Amino acid sequence: MAMNCFASARESGKYKRALPPAHFSLKIESFEVLSKLDKYDSGVFKAGGHEWRLSLYPKGNKDDNGSGYISLYLSIEDRVNKMVYVNYKLFVHDKLRKEYLTIQDADEAISCFHGSKTQYGFPRFLSLKEFKKRSNGYLHENSCTFGAEVFVIEPDKVKEESFTLIRYPQQNTFTLTIENWSTLGTDPRFIEFDCEKRKWKLLVYPKGNEAGNGKSLAVYLEVQRLTEKMQVYADFNLRVLDQLKGKHKEEQFEGWLSASHPQVGKANFMPLKDLEKSKKRFVQNDTLVVEVQIRIVSGLGIAPSKPGPRVAPSKPGLGIAPLKPGLGIVPSKPGPRVAPSKPGPGVVPSQL
């Protein structure tokens, strides 16, 4: 599956949500102290089988047209010898409303990380004016929180289910011969057979069932051994053979069969009085012959396929290596957690 790599800046999409970022949270206790740096690199965190870090420009990345803004980027840290396709989101916490401003590429565009392009992000992540405005809740008592979610798409690991129709299978006609017709009771007669790797049953009620009980011959095709959510499509003919003139009583059926509705057919397929009137044609030597001809049937279809997108889940609870003395990273348990503040200014990034 061909996928494009985008190296240039793109439009971003923004929305708010209550759920915190799934993979990494960078908690800053004193933005005033941090803003004395041109750039702050977080410690390494793991997501989707790769190592990453956030790069924060508290005064904006001037080299990327980010003056007057906070610039925030995601960088891949492990050495990669192939394209790494990523859908990522970056966050800033609104502490007043207890929700997160979520920023991602517009239309959820895919970013392609590789040896010569190891960083993507937003030079104009959030204007400093909006960030510092107290009513927005991003900077609260000089503290703030940023975050990241990283979903890696692995085209070579996708599995595909194909819905295919098999027309006129190589063996598609199956016959049920019912002997001693004149002495039969009400018990059904059937034949089981295999067709396209499924088990089937041709089922006949000699004296009818349901609305046609005692009045009509009932004939059904039934699929066997389906699990609860499996469905099978079938297009087929049911026929009672005219053993003299070949003018068979025949009807075509089609439909979806499932574990809860495994049969397709007809309760009043042929009136018993018609059988009596034409007994010499349909009943020969006290024998009735019923057939099913399967015209079309859906195939079995889950198998490895050509490459396509797949989102690889990240593993929770992977630790984060310390970065700088005094500006450390505290590993945490999986799930949202707010790290306790230490006396004095500092930066406490933690993994969720």
Side-chain angles (χ1 to χ4, degrees), residues 271-289:
L272 293 177
K273 63 181 182 180
D274 289 353
L275 274 177
E276 292 296 325
K277 290 179 181 178
S278 307
K279 183 178 293 185
K280 292 181 181 179
R281 290 171 49 198
F282 293 100
V283 181
Q284 280 284 302
N285 299 321
D286 208 23
T287 300
L288 185 77
V289 181

Side-chain angles (χ1 to χ4, degrees), residues 2 9 15 31 34 65 67 88 145-146 184 224 249 298 324:
Y15 62 93
F31 185 76
L34 191 75
N65 197 27
S67 297
Y88 70 94
T145 300
F146 297 91
L184 289 179
Q224 307 284 295
K249 167 60 179 176
S298 58
K324 300 178 181 179

Side-chain angles (χ1 to χ4, degrees), residues 141-162:
E141 296 181 354
N142 203 29
S143 69
C144 54
T145 300
F146 297 91
E149 282 183 354
V150 184
F151 296 98
V152 175
I153 299 168
E154 299 181 275
D156 57 338
K157 294 185 179 180
V158 71
K159 287 189 176 181
E160 182 180 274
E161 177 174 343
S162 300

